[in-house]
Amino acid sequence: MAASLFGGIGPGSQPGEEDGGDLQYMEMPKGMATSAAPVLPEKENVAGLEAALAVLSALAESLGRSSPDCENAVHDLSGLDRANRALIDQALGEGEVSIICGDDLQAQESVLAGIWRVRQTGPDGRLVRDFVEVGAFPSAVLERAFTGCRNMLATSATYPMGVFNVPPLISELNDRIPLVGPGVGPHVINLSLLPHTEEDLTFLDGLLGHGPVVVLSRGYGNCRVTTTATRCVWWVRFFNSIDDLILNTIEVTALPEVVRAAPEDIADSRQRLLEILEVYQ
């Protein structure tokens, strides 16, 4: 009976349109990227790794103190030997958010939301800084996100052929940029819902410019967030699992919510880290 009731639902099951066209269904994400739980050594195998355990304990304390109003806690790992760093790597694992900032700074969220492993390299590729930040987003990246950027977009009396809808967007962005600050929510322009030409997008991309930060968040499909060369203006693009663009937005904000670790997730990370540390008590 169930087959007869529901078997006629879905793509290809309905009769074609009278004009001969068929309904087109967007390919939606089919899998979710998840972060595996860390695989940790047994208690008897951590002798000599007290320094790593001390760092993990300090991270738990920082998670407990973390709030949207306080600065990130920074824990330097440069004084640890390879074995102690390896234990920290095992405990933290790799989460869903990866960040590149310019040519020398990379950050990786751990499986514990709000804990970020940050590495900075020199011109020769050698590691010069190795530390962990606790907070909604690594401040080392945010401090450089809009260095040297422009504060406003230039307007023009004329625009290239095919550019029709950019001028009102320029005015909207210029109106919103000065308003960014504490207590002000993000201003989102959903380009997927606005009429535009390819020439509009190409011109807007060039006008906004490209900043140093690229963030990839893997979940249902991918979310790619990039800074522009215009203060507090971010591109936020969502792709499904076959890399089709399904949502294209511009956000005017200090930091898009999609890349920010939520307070409740940070609180959960503290509890999970304390459970890990209990094994080694």
Side-chain angles (χ1 to χ4, degrees):
M1 176 67 75
S4 63
L5 286 174
F6 300 106
I9 299 176
S13 63
Q14 306 301 315
E17 298 292 325
E18 292 182 1
D19 61 3
D22 292 323
L23 290 172
Q24 298 298 312
Y25 291 81
M26 178 180 291
E27 182 71 24
M28 297 304 291
K30 294 182 177 178
M32 181 177 71
T34 58
S35 302
V39 179
L40 297 170
E42 299 295 332
K43 183 176 181 179
E44 57 269 20
N45 295 327
V46 297
L49 302 179
E50 290 80 11
L53 294 175
V55 169
L56 293 174
S57 180
L59 291 176
E61 292 180 6
S62 295
L63 287 167
R65 293 192 298 267
S66 179
S67 75
D69 299 323
C70 72
E71 294 183 357
N72 287 3
V74 179
H75 300 265
D76 185 18
L77 304 182
S78 59
L80 300 183
D81 60 25
R82 182 176 298 178
N84 277 280
R85 289 191 193 186
L87 178 58
I88 291 173
D89 287 341
Q90 283 181 278
L92 299 184
E94 290 192 359
E96 296 179 353
V97 182
S98 303
I99 305 169
I100 296 174
C101 182
D103 297 326
D104 65 335
L105 193 65
Q106 303 87 37
Q108 174 67 52
E109 188 179 36
S110 75
V111 295
L112 303 170
I115 296 182
W116 306 84
R117 183 67 182 273
V118 186
R119 294 180 174 90
Q120 185 175 1
T121 55
D124 58 358
R126 293 186 180 183
L127 188 67
V128 295
R129 293 184 68 199
D130 188 4
F131 57 98
V132 177
E133 282 200 40
V134 176
F137 190 81
S139 59
V141 173
L142 199 55
E143 288 168 0
R144 296 168 53 171
F146 293 102
T147 300
C149 68
R150 66 178 65 87
N151 291 322
M152 301 287 279
L153 293 173
T155 58
S156 175
T158 60
Y159 291 90
M161 184 177 296
V163 175
F164 299 106
N165 297 301
V166 167
L169 291 180
I170 294 175
S171 298
E172 183 175 353
L173 290 168
N174 282 341
D175 288 342
R176 298 299 306 190
I177 289 170
L179 302 180
V180 174
V184 179
H187 181 72
V188 180
I189 299 175
N190 188 342
L191 297 175
S192 297
L193 297 180
L194 293 178
H196 60 264
T197 64
E198 286 299 318
E199 290 83 0
D200 280 324
L201 290 181
T202 300
F203 184 81
L204 186 59
D205 182 63
L207 185 65
L208 288 171
H210 300 148
V213 177
V214 178
V215 184
L216 174 62
S217 178
R218 299 173 296 275
Y220 283 104
N222 295 319
C223 175
R224 301 173 198 172
V225 179
T226 57
T227 51
T228 69
T230 306
R231 185 171 68 88
C232 295
V233 179
W234 306 71
W235 282 102
V236 181
R237 298 177 174 99
F238 290 85
F239 298 80
N240 64 14
S241 56
I242 60 173
D243 214 34
D244 288 333
L245 180 63
I246 56 176
L247 183 61
N248 188 14
T249 66
I250 293 174
E251 291 197 22
V252 184
T253 182
L255 181 68
E257 288 293 329
V258 70
V259 299
R260 187 193 301 265
E264 57 270 24
D265 292 332
I266 292 176
D268 180 66
S269 293
R270 177 179 180 271
Q271 184 59 40
R272 291 168 60 193
L273 183 52
L274 289 174
E275 291 171 359
I276 290 173
L277 289 168
E278 282 181 6
V279 177
Y280 301 107
Q281 298 298 320

PDB file of all heavy atoms in Angstrom, residues 4 13-15 19 24 28 37 39 71 82 113 119 129 132 141 151 189 206 229 233 247 255-256 263 269 280:
ATOM      1  N   SER A   4       2.135   2.280  -3.368  1.00  0.00           N
ATOM      2  CA  SER A   4       1.152   2.889  -4.254  1.00  0.00           C
ATOM      3  C   SER A   4       0.819   4.315  -3.827  1.00  0.00           C
ATOM      4  O   SER A   4       0.455   5.134  -4.643  1.00  0.00           O
ATOM      5  CB  SER A   4      -0.124   2.034  -4.260  1.00  0.00           C
ATOM      6  OG  SER A   4      -0.702   2.001  -2.964  1.00  0.00           O
ATOM      7  N   SER A  13       8.510  11.713 -11.826  1.00  0.00           N
ATOM      8  CA  SER A  13       7.267  10.990 -11.531  1.00  0.00           C
ATOM      9  C   SER A  13       6.027  11.745 -11.988  1.00  0.00           C
ATOM     10  O   SER A  13       4.954  11.172 -12.047  1.00  0.00           O
ATOM     11  CB  SER A  13       7.167  10.726 -10.019  1.00  0.00           C
ATOM     12  OG  SER A  13       7.109  11.957  -9.316  1.00  0.00           O
ATOM     13  N   GLN A  14       6.182  13.042 -12.259  1.00  0.00           N
ATOM     14  CA  GLN A  14       5.034  13.852 -12.625  1.00  0.00           C
ATOM     15  C   GLN A  14       4.981  14.047 -14.139  1.00  0.00           C
ATOM     16  O   GLN A  14       6.013  14.026 -14.813  1.00  0.00           O
ATOM     17  CB  GLN A  14       5.117  15.221 -11.928  1.00  0.00           C
ATOM     18  CG  GLN A  14       5.278  15.115 -10.416  1.00  0.00           C
ATOM     19  CD  GLN A  14       4.124  14.348  -9.784  1.00  0.00           C
ATOM     20  OE1 GLN A  14       2.970  14.586 -10.110  1.00  0.00           O
ATOM     21  NE2 GLN A  14       4.435  13.408  -8.898  1.00  0.00           N
ATOM     22  N   PRO A  15       3.796  14.249 -14.682  1.00  0.00           N
ATOM     23  CA  PRO A  15       3.692  14.476 -16.129  1.00  0.00           C
ATOM     24  C   PRO A  15       4.387  15.762 -16.522  1.00  0.00           C
ATOM     25  O   PRO A  15       4.500  16.702 -15.728  1.00  0.00           O
ATOM     26  CB  PRO A  15       2.178  14.581 -16.360  1.00  0.00           C
ATOM     27  CG  PRO A  15       1.611  14.967 -15.026  1.00  0.00           C
ATOM     28  CD  PRO A  15       2.483  14.294 -14.018  1.00  0.00           C
ATOM     29  N   ASP A  19       3.958  22.744 -22.184  1.00  0.00           N
ATOM     30  CA  ASP A  19       4.832  23.278 -23.219  1.00  0.00           C
ATOM     31  C   ASP A  19       5.974  22.334 -23.546  1.00  0.00           C
ATOM     32  O   ASP A  19       6.875  22.666 -24.306  1.00  0.00           O
ATOM     33  CB  ASP A  19       5.390  24.643 -22.806  1.00  0.00           C
ATOM     34  CG  ASP A  19       6.222  24.557 -21.533  1.00  0.00           C
ATOM     35  OD1 ASP A  19       6.414  23.426 -21.020  1.00  0.00           O
ATOM     36  OD2 ASP A  19       6.685  25.619 -21.073  1.00  0.00           O
ATOM     37  N   GLN A  24      12.800  21.005 -13.291  1.00  0.00           N
ATOM     38  CA  GLN A  24      14.204  20.740 -13.006  1.00  0.00           C
ATOM     39  C   GLN A  24      14.428  20.839 -11.505  1.00  0.00           C
ATOM     40  O   GLN A  24      14.081  21.834 -10.873  1.00  0.00           O
ATOM     41  CB  GLN A  24      15.080  21.766 -13.734  1.00  0.00           C
ATOM     42  CG  GLN A  24      14.962  21.711 -15.252  1.00  0.00           C
ATOM     43  CD  GLN A  24      15.409  20.368 -15.821  1.00  0.00           C
ATOM     44  OE1 GLN A  24      16.469  19.863 -15.466  1.00  0.00           O
ATOM     45  NE2 GLN A  24      14.598  19.812 -16.695  1.00  0.00           N
ATOM     46  N   MET A  28      20.802  18.534  -4.505  1.00  0.00           N
ATOM     47  CA  MET A  28      21.070  18.979  -3.138  1.00  0.00           C
ATOM     48  C   MET A  28      22.198  18.153  -2.532  1.00  0.00           C
ATOM     49  O   MET A  28      22.525  17.067  -3.020  1.00  0.00           O
ATOM     50  CB  MET A  28      19.804  18.834  -2.284  1.00  0.00           C
ATOM     51  CG  MET A  28      18.671  19.716  -2.774  1.00  0.00           C
ATOM     52  SD  MET A  28      19.126  21.466  -2.857  1.00  0.00           S
ATOM     53  CE  MET A  28      19.261  21.835  -1.115  1.00  0.00           C
ATOM     54  N   ALA A  37      35.956  11.690  16.228  1.00  0.00           N
ATOM     55  CA  ALA A  37      36.461  11.873  17.579  1.00  0.00           C
ATOM     56  C   ALA A  37      37.958  11.547  17.601  1.00  0.00           C
ATOM     57  O   ALA A  37      38.428  10.655  16.888  1.00  0.00           O
ATOM     58  CB  ALA A  37      35.712  10.957  18.536  1.00  0.00           C
ATOM     59  N   VAL A  39      41.554  10.068  18.422  1.00  0.00           N
ATOM     60  CA  VAL A  39      42.071   8.789  18.917  1.00  0.00           C
ATOM     61  C   VAL A  39      43.259   9.103  19.809  1.00  0.00           C
ATOM     62  O   VAL A  39      44.273   9.629  19.356  1.00  0.00           O
ATOM     63  CB  VAL A  39      42.500   7.872  17.753  1.00  0.00           C
ATOM     64  CG1 VAL A  39      43.064   6.570  18.302  1.00  0.00           C
ATOM     65  CG2 VAL A  39      41.324   7.611  16.829  1.00  0.00           C
ATOM     66  N   GLU A  71      38.646  38.990  25.003  1.00  0.00           N
ATOM     67  CA  GLU A  71      39.647  38.682  23.987  1.00  0.00           C
ATOM     68  C   GLU A  71      39.957  37.187  23.988  1.00  0.00           C
ATOM     69  O   GLU A  71      39.798  36.501  25.001  1.00  0.00           O
ATOM     70  CB  GLU A  71      40.935  39.473  24.257  1.00  0.00           C
ATOM     71  CG  GLU A  71      40.786  40.977  24.106  1.00  0.00           C
ATOM     72  CD  GLU A  71      42.105  41.695  24.302  1.00  0.00           C
ATOM     73  OE1 GLU A  71      43.112  41.025  24.617  1.00  0.00           O
ATOM     74  OE2 GLU A  71      42.131  42.936  24.142  1.00  0.00           O
ATOM     75  N   ARG A  82      58.433  17.677  19.997  1.00  0.00           N
ATOM     76  CA  ARG A  82      57.565  17.053  18.983  1.00  0.00           C
ATOM     77  C   ARG A  82      56.543  16.106  19.595  1.00  0.00           C
ATOM     78  O   ARG A  82      55.382  16.065  19.188  1.00  0.00           O
ATOM     79  CB  ARG A  82      58.430  16.309  17.963  1.00  0.00           C
ATOM     80  CG  ARG A  82      57.630  15.662  16.834  1.00  0.00           C
ATOM     81  CD  ARG A  82      58.547  15.021  15.814  1.00  0.00           C
ATOM     82  NE  ARG A  82      59.418  16.009  15.187  1.00  0.00           N
ATOM     83  CZ  ARG A  82      60.342  15.702  14.277  1.00  0.00           C
ATOM     84  NH1 ARG A  82      60.518  14.432  13.907  1.00  0.00           N
ATOM     85  NH2 ARG A  82      61.091  16.646  13.743  1.00  0.00           N
ATOM     86  N   ALA A 113      34.891  22.936  18.988  1.00  0.00           N
ATOM     87  CA  ALA A 113      34.591  24.270  18.462  1.00  0.00           C
ATOM     88  C   ALA A 113      35.136  25.341  19.396  1.00  0.00           C
ATOM     89  O   ALA A 113      35.015  25.253  20.623  1.00  0.00           O
ATOM     90  CB  ALA A 113      33.082  24.440  18.298  1.00  0.00           C
ATOM     91  N   ARG A 119      49.227  28.494  12.771  1.00  0.00           N
ATOM     92  CA  ARG A 119      50.639  28.386  12.418  1.00  0.00           C
ATOM     93  C   ARG A 119      51.021  29.514  11.460  1.00  0.00           C
ATOM     94  O   ARG A 119      50.289  29.804  10.524  1.00  0.00           O
ATOM     95  CB  ARG A 119      50.941  27.042  11.767  1.00  0.00           C
ATOM     96  CG  ARG A 119      50.770  25.828  12.682  1.00  0.00           C
ATOM     97  CD  ARG A 119      51.091  24.538  11.934  1.00  0.00           C
ATOM     98  NE  ARG A 119      51.080  23.375  12.786  1.00  0.00           N
ATOM     99  CZ  ARG A 119      50.022  22.616  13.018  1.00  0.00           C
ATOM    100  NH1 ARG A 119      48.862  22.917  12.435  1.00  0.00           N
ATOM    101  NH2 ARG A 119      50.097  21.559  13.806  1.00  0.00           N
ATOM    102  N   ARG A 129      55.800  30.652  14.158  1.00  0.00           N
ATOM    103  CA  ARG A 129      54.877  30.744  15.292  1.00  0.00           C
ATOM    104  C   ARG A 129      53.940  29.550  15.255  1.00  0.00           C
ATOM    105  O   ARG A 129      53.443  29.156  14.197  1.00  0.00           O
ATOM    106  CB  ARG A 129      54.059  32.033  15.259  1.00  0.00           C
ATOM    107  CG  ARG A 129      54.832  33.310  15.464  1.00  0.00           C
ATOM    108  CD  ARG A 129      53.873  34.504  15.506  1.00  0.00           C
ATOM    109  NE  ARG A 129      53.027  34.487  16.706  1.00  0.00           N
ATOM    110  CZ  ARG A 129      51.888  35.171  16.828  1.00  0.00           C
ATOM    111  NH1 ARG A 129      51.435  35.898  15.805  1.00  0.00           N
ATOM    112  NH2 ARG A 129      51.189  35.123  17.942  1.00  0.00           N
ATOM    113  N   VAL A 132      47.810  28.116  19.897  1.00  0.00           N
ATOM    114  CA  VAL A 132      46.384  27.777  19.909  1.00  0.00           C
ATOM    115  C   VAL A 132      45.614  28.980  20.433  1.00  0.00           C
ATOM    116  O   VAL A 132      46.010  29.582  21.438  1.00  0.00           O
ATOM    117  CB  VAL A 132      46.107  26.547  20.795  1.00  0.00           C
ATOM    118  CG1 VAL A 132      44.604  26.265  20.859  1.00  0.00           C
ATOM    119  CG2 VAL A 132      46.855  25.330  20.279  1.00  0.00           C
ATOM    120  N   VAL A 141      43.970  36.080  12.630  1.00  0.00           N
ATOM    121  CA  VAL A 141      43.462  36.204  11.258  1.00  0.00           C
ATOM    122  C   VAL A 141      42.635  37.478  11.123  1.00  0.00           C
ATOM    123  O   VAL A 141      42.807  38.256  10.174  1.00  0.00           O
ATOM    124  CB  VAL A 141      42.609  34.975  10.889  1.00  0.00           C
ATOM    125  CG1 VAL A 141      41.940  35.168   9.522  1.00  0.00           C
ATOM    126  CG2 VAL A 141      43.457  33.715  10.891  1.00  0.00           C
ATOM    127  N   ASN A 151      38.001  52.065   2.353  1.00  0.00           N
ATOM    128  CA  ASN A 151      36.876  52.257   3.270  1.00  0.00           C
ATOM    129  C   ASN A 151      35.536  52.418   2.562  1.00  0.00           C
ATOM    130  O   ASN A 151      34.490  52.214   3.173  1.00  0.00           O
ATOM    131  CB  ASN A 151      37.125  53.480   4.157  1.00  0.00           C
ATOM    132  CG  ASN A 151      38.254  53.246   5.144  1.00  0.00           C
ATOM    133  OD1 ASN A 151      38.397  52.155   5.678  1.00  0.00           O
ATOM    134  ND2 ASN A 151      39.054  54.268   5.371  1.00  0.00           N
ATOM    135  N   ILE A 189      23.357  40.933   1.503  1.00  0.00           N
ATOM    136  CA  ILE A 189      22.815  41.138   0.160  1.00  0.00           C
ATOM    137  C   ILE A 189      22.810  39.788  -0.527  1.00  0.00           C
ATOM    138  O   ILE A 189      23.878  39.208  -0.803  1.00  0.00           O
ATOM    139  CB  ILE A 189      23.654  42.151  -0.634  1.00  0.00           C
ATOM    140  CG1 ILE A 189      23.656  43.510   0.071  1.00  0.00           C
ATOM    141  CG2 ILE A 189      23.115  42.295  -2.057  1.00  0.00           C
ATOM    142  CD1 ILE A 189      24.574  44.534  -0.585  1.00  0.00           C
ATOM    143  N   GLY A 206      35.561  42.792  -9.229  1.00  0.00           N
ATOM    144  CA  GLY A 206      36.747  43.619  -9.423  1.00  0.00           C
ATOM    145  C   GLY A 206      36.713  44.887  -8.593  1.00  0.00           C
ATOM    146  O   GLY A 206      37.745  45.341  -8.091  1.00  0.00           O
ATOM    147  N   ALA A 229      38.713  43.529  -0.620  1.00  0.00           N
ATOM    148  CA  ALA A 229      39.643  44.613  -0.309  1.00  0.00           C
ATOM    149  C   ALA A 229      38.892  45.867   0.127  1.00  0.00           C
ATOM    150  O   ALA A 229      39.429  46.968   0.077  1.00  0.00           O
ATOM    151  CB  ALA A 229      40.525  44.907  -1.523  1.00  0.00           C
ATOM    152  N   VAL A 233      33.548  43.979   4.203  1.00  0.00           N
ATOM    153  CA  VAL A 233      32.712  43.374   3.168  1.00  0.00           C
ATOM    154  C   VAL A 233      33.264  41.982   2.847  1.00  0.00           C
ATOM    155  O   VAL A 233      34.435  41.838   2.487  1.00  0.00           O
ATOM    156  CB  VAL A 233      32.662  44.236   1.890  1.00  0.00           C
ATOM    157  CG1 VAL A 233      31.791  43.558   0.826  1.00  0.00           C
ATOM    158  CG2 VAL A 233      32.123  45.626   2.214  1.00  0.00           C
ATOM    159  N   LEU A 247      23.993  29.386  -3.124  1.00  0.00           N
ATOM    160  CA  LEU A 247      23.667  30.636  -2.453  1.00  0.00           C
ATOM    161  C   LEU A 247      24.881  31.553  -2.525  1.00  0.00           C
ATOM    162  O   LEU A 247      25.978  31.182  -2.111  1.00  0.00           O
ATOM    163  CB  LEU A 247      23.279  30.398  -0.994  1.00  0.00           C
ATOM    164  CG  LEU A 247      22.839  31.627  -0.196  1.00  0.00           C
ATOM    165  CD1 LEU A 247      21.597  32.261  -0.819  1.00  0.00           C
ATOM    166  CD2 LEU A 247      22.575  31.272   1.265  1.00  0.00           C
ATOM    167  N   LEU A 255      32.379  40.105  11.175  1.00  0.00           N
ATOM    168  CA  LEU A 255      32.670  38.678  10.990  1.00  0.00           C
ATOM    169  C   LEU A 255      31.371  37.931  10.711  1.00  0.00           C
ATOM    170  O   LEU A 255      30.444  37.995  11.521  1.00  0.00           O
ATOM    171  CB  LEU A 255      33.341  38.102  12.241  1.00  0.00           C
ATOM    172  CG  LEU A 255      33.733  36.633  12.187  1.00  0.00           C
ATOM    173  CD1 LEU A 255      34.861  36.413  11.176  1.00  0.00           C
ATOM    174  CD2 LEU A 255      34.165  36.135  13.561  1.00  0.00           C
ATOM    175  N   PRO A 256      31.266  37.224   9.590  1.00  0.00           N
ATOM    176  CA  PRO A 256      30.043  36.476   9.304  1.00  0.00           C
ATOM    177  C   PRO A 256      29.768  35.399  10.351  1.00  0.00           C
ATOM    178  O   PRO A 256      30.686  34.727  10.830  1.00  0.00           O
ATOM    179  CB  PRO A 256      30.333  35.843   7.931  1.00  0.00           C
ATOM    180  CG  PRO A 256      31.376  36.721   7.320  1.00  0.00           C
ATOM    181  CD  PRO A 256      32.229  37.175   8.469  1.00  0.00           C
ATOM    182  N   PRO A 263      28.657  30.450  21.251  1.00  0.00           N
ATOM    183  CA  PRO A 263      28.936  30.284  22.686  1.00  0.00           C
ATOM    184  C   PRO A 263      28.521  28.925  23.236  1.00  0.00           C
ATOM    185  O   PRO A 263      29.235  28.334  24.053  1.00  0.00           O
ATOM    186  CB  PRO A 263      28.121  31.416  23.332  1.00  0.00           C
ATOM    187  CG  PRO A 263      28.032  32.463  22.268  1.00  0.00           C
ATOM    188  CD  PRO A 263      27.927  31.707  20.983  1.00  0.00           C
ATOM    189  N   SER A 269      32.423  22.294  24.055  1.00  0.00           N
ATOM    190  CA  SER A 269      33.818  21.900  23.859  1.00  0.00           C
ATOM    191  C   SER A 269      34.543  21.771  25.195  1.00  0.00           C
ATOM    192  O   SER A 269      35.361  20.868  25.392  1.00  0.00           O
ATOM    193  CB  SER A 269      34.532  22.926  22.976  1.00  0.00           C
ATOM    194  OG  SER A 269      34.023  22.905  21.663  1.00  0.00           O
ATOM    195  N   TYR A 280      43.287  10.919  32.028  1.00  0.00           N
ATOM    196  CA  TYR A 280      44.705  10.991  32.405  1.00  0.00           C
ATOM    197  C   TYR A 280      44.912  11.467  33.843  1.00  0.00           C
ATOM    198  O   TYR A 280      46.022  11.782  34.250  1.00  0.00           O
ATOM    199  CB  TYR A 280      45.448  11.913  31.441  1.00  0.00           C
ATOM    200  CG  TYR A 280      45.354  11.447  30.008  1.00  0.00           C
ATOM    201  CD1 TYR A 280      44.562  12.120  29.079  1.00  0.00           C
ATOM    202  CD2 TYR A 280      46.017  10.280  29.589  1.00  0.00           C
ATOM    203  CE1 TYR A 280      44.461  11.672  27.774  1.00  0.00           C
ATOM    204  CE2 TYR A 280      45.902   9.822  28.285  1.00  0.00           C
ATOM    205  CZ  TYR A 280      45.114  10.529  27.398  1.00  0.00           C
ATOM    206  OH  TYR A 280      45.017  10.078  26.099  1.00  0.00           O
TER     207      TYR A 280
END
